[in-house]
Each structure stands twice: as structure tokens, then as C-alpha cells.
Amino acid sequence: MTSSELETPPLDTARRLAEDGDLEGAAAILTELAADPDGPDRAQAAVGLAVVLEERGDVEGARAAARTALATGHPEFAAQAACHLAQGFEREGRAEQARGAWQAVLGVGTPAYVPLAHLALARLAAEADDYDEAESALRSAAEVAGDDDELRVHAAQQLADLLLERGEPGAAAEVLLEALGSAPPDSVARLRVQLGIAHLELACAEFAQAVDDGGDAATSGLAIELLARTLPLRGRLDDADRVWAYGLDHEDEALAGEVRLRHDRDT
């Protein structure tokens, strides 16, 4: 062994071995470093060991190594270890364990990883149909994004989609308008499309309310036409047919006549 090799830090040697495909050799070095409770490289070595062991198919060993790194409380490598655990649990469909690991990321509190944890917790909450928790997590992700405008926009887009699913287009529009104020140029178009969708949903709600309010025949006929012609833009063809049918068959002959004229313009 040359003098330069003797001077190479063990972590670098382990990394080189792993890159060259010698996972066993890398694991041996990393295991020794991770086992030293007073070693300066313990946290980083434990994370590296978790990755190497997972590549070797030793899932439980990888998790044990990740937990070692997490226990160090290291601001960088403990957070990486918690992410490693969380992602592994998610791949296996173990939502509760994944949620606990993402919460551990929040507990470490490293700014670079906190928004990612909030986004992941929002995803898990949405999958469990806990939309209040998902909304809270997405709002937290946007708040702690710091100078990462792309991440903030990503959180805003997901939050807007969630609010639209919940039938809250007004709240979705507010989120998107705020996001547009600091959006990177390549995100503006996506945000504007979403904002347009929110406005379409708002328009549908207003048209439907105008029909329910029971105005004069001309106004109600226009509201029915606008609602029936807007709904297909949101993929709601069956709903549009029902709106037309409601107007065409209405007991008020004046209203039914108005709707018939508007409907027959396409024929």
C-alpha cells in the first residue's frame, strides 16, 4: 500500500470501494466507523452503511444503521438517515412507520429537509383521506421553503389541487395568486393554468347559484347555458347534460323556451 493510500480517509476509501462495486469491502469499513461511539465520522458512516446494506439487500441491517445515524442527532446525517427510513417504509406501504420517520426529520429540524418532510406528510395524509392534515402540512411546507421558490410553488400547486378537490376553488385561487408573486419564470404558466381552472370552478358555482336564486327567465336561461357550456371544460359532460335537461324540461315555460333557444343555436 502506498503512502497516499495510507493517508486516504477511511470514508473516502469506503466510497471508492462502493463505487467500484465492492459493497462488502465498503460495508466492512463503514461498520467499523459506525460502531465507534466517539468517532467523528460515526453519523456519516452510518448513513453510508445504510445505503450500502440496502444495495446488498439487507433491509433490516440498513435500517439499523440508519437508526444509529439518527440517534447521533447530527444536523445533516441524522436528517438523511430519517429520510432513508421514511422512503423505505413508503416503498413497502408502511404508512404509519413512514409517517413516524418523516416526523423524525422534522424533529432534527435541518432546514434543507424540513419542507420535504412536510410534503411527504401531506402526501401520506391525502392517501389516508385526512385532508385537513394534508392541507396543514402543505401550508407548512410553503412557509418553511425559505429561498427555494421552486419548492414553494410546488407546495402551492399541491395545496391548490387539494382545495379544488375539496370544492374550495376560492381558497385555491388565493393560494395560486400568492404563489405567482414569487414564482420562478418557468413556473408561471403552470400556476396560471391552475388559476384558470380555479376560476372555472368558481364560475360554475356562481352560475349554479344564479339558477338556484330564481331570477327572471332571461337571466336564468343565460346562467343555465353558461353552466352547461362551462362544465365540459372541466370534463363534466354528464353534469352538463343534466343542466341542459333541467332547463329544457323546466315547468316555467318562459324559462324552458329561453333555454331551448340557447341550446338549439348549436344545431
Side-chain angles (χ1 to χ4, degrees):
M1 182 176 291
T2 66
S3 59
S4 62
E5 290 175 321
L6 287 171
E7 294 171 0
T8 301
L11 276 175
D12 290 345
T13 301
R15 184 181 303 109
R16 178 179 56 77
L17 291 172
E19 291 171 351
D20 291 343
D22 186 358
L23 299 180
E24 185 174 351
I29 295 173
L30 294 170
T31 297
E32 183 176 351
L33 292 173
D36 183 358
D38 299 319
D41 298 322
R42 189 185 195 201
Q44 185 175 0
V47 171
L49 180 59
V51 174
V52 168
L53 291 178
E54 186 170 70
E55 289 184 18
R56 293 179 65 189
D58 183 359
V59 175
E60 291 308 315
R63 284 179 179 151
R67 290 188 179 99
T68 295
L70 179 57
T72 67
H74 190 285
E76 177 68 21
F77 301 114
Q80 287 185 16
C83 289
H84 179 92
L85 287 168
Q87 290 162 353
F89 286 134
E90 282 201 63
R91 285 193 296 271
E92 294 180 6
R94 299 167 66 179
E96 284 305 314
Q97 290 88 340
R99 186 175 293 106
W102 286 120
Q103 290 287 357
V105 175
L106 297 182
V108 175
T110 306
Y113 297 93
V114 167
L116 301 177
H118 281 303
L119 288 173
L121 288 167
R123 180 177 61 251
L124 291 169
E127 290 172 356
D129 295 332
D130 187 349
Y131 296 113
D132 288 340
E133 180 61 31
E135 178 181 348
S136 176
L138 287 169
R139 290 189 183 279
S140 294
E143 288 172 4
V144 300
D147 295 330
D148 192 335
D149 291 335
E150 191 66 39
L151 194 151
R152 186 183 302 104
V153 165
H154 179 65
Q157 288 179 301
Q158 290 198 12
L159 177 57
D161 282 341
L162 177 67
L163 292 168
L164 285 171
E165 288 180 23
R166 297 179 65 177
E168 301 178 40
E174 289 179 6
V175 168
L176 293 166
L177 282 169
E178 183 177 352
L180 276 167
S182 61
D186 60 354
S187 299
V188 170
R190 296 197 306 272
L191 288 169
R192 291 201 182 281
V193 168
Q194 277 187 288
L195 183 59
I197 290 171
H199 285 160
L200 284 175
E201 292 290 346
L202 282 168
C204 287
E206 292 299 334
F207 297 147
Q209 186 60 54
V211 174
D212 289 342
D213 288 343
D216 60 80
T219 300
S220 294
L222 176 60
I224 287 171
E225 178 188 18
L226 291 172
L227 180 57
R229 295 190 187 282
T230 305
L231 285 169
L233 297 176
R234 298 294 296 124
R236 298 166 62 183
L237 298 177
D238 291 342
D239 287 342
D241 289 341
R242 282 190 284 272
V243 170
W244 280 126
Y246 169 83
L248 292 168
D249 299 334
H250 202 278
E251 60 184 17
D252 183 334
E253 280 299 325
L255 175 56
E258 281 282 343
V259 174
R260 192 174 303 111
L261 287 172
R262 296 174 181 281
H263 181 268
D264 292 347
R265 286 189 305 192
D266 291 339
T267 63

